[in-house]
Amino acid sequence: MDYVKAFIVGGLICVIGQIIIDKTKLTPARLLTGYVVSGVVLSLVGLYKPLVDFAGAGASVPLLGFGHALFEGVKKGIGENGFLGIFTGGLSATAGGIAAVVLFALGAAALARPKIK
């Protein structure tokens, strides 16, 4: 049942994003940024944590989940390091994801054959 909940919630997040792209003039980059910010805001008001608890990876893997992870990291960082935690908490909480992105981008750049226009 956990897989079904994750599939439905993750799918709904993607459907909402696709509808926004189709019905508005937002670029995908702006939508992605909006999703991260929305994850932070929903976490701030206490709405995203129950969704993550309910849907698991269906809510924590999409970009809303990245915003949630940033928020949780900053909250923990402030509790441990005070004001400095604002700057260090989000990075320490998302370091694994950021490192994976850098490594995958490096691999894609090494395998790609760019063409000069």
Side-chain angles (χ1 to χ4, degrees), residues 14-34:
C14 293
V15 165
I16 291 168
Q18 189 64 49
I19 290 171
I20 291 171
I21 287 175
D22 291 344
K23 300 293 182 184
T24 67
K25 295 184 183 213
L26 284 178
T27 62
R30 289 183 183 196
L31 178 67
L32 298 176
T33 305

Side-chain angles (χ1 to χ4, degrees), residues 43 49 69-80 85-86 89-90:
S43 296
K49 178 73 170 144
L70 283 172
F71 174 79
E72 291 295 325
V74 168
K75 188 167 81 170
K76 181 179 176 188
I78 290 172
E80 293 175 356
I86 293 172

Side-chain angles (χ1 to χ4, degrees), residues 4 6 16 22 28 46 48 52 77 88 98 103-104 112 117:
V4 174
I16 291 168
D22 291 344
Y48 206 73
V52 169
T88 61
I98 293 170
L103 288 176
F104 291 140
K117 293 183 179 182

Side-chain angles (χ1 to χ4, degrees), residues 79-91:
E80 293 175 356
N81 302 322
F83 182 74
L84 189 59
I86 293 172
F87 305 105
T88 61
L91 290 175

Side-chain angles (χ1 to χ4, degrees), residues 51-79:
L51 185 63
V52 169
D53 293 340
F54 171 77
S60 64
V61 171
L63 285 169
L64 288 163
F66 185 74
H68 173 69
L70 283 172
F71 174 79
E72 291 295 325
V74 168
K75 188 167 81 170
K76 181 179 176 188
I78 290 172

Side-chain angles (χ1 to χ4, degrees), residues 98-115:
I98 293 170
V101 167
V102 169
L103 288 176
F104 291 140
L106 181 63
L111 297 174
R113 302 264 185 231
K115 296 179 183 175

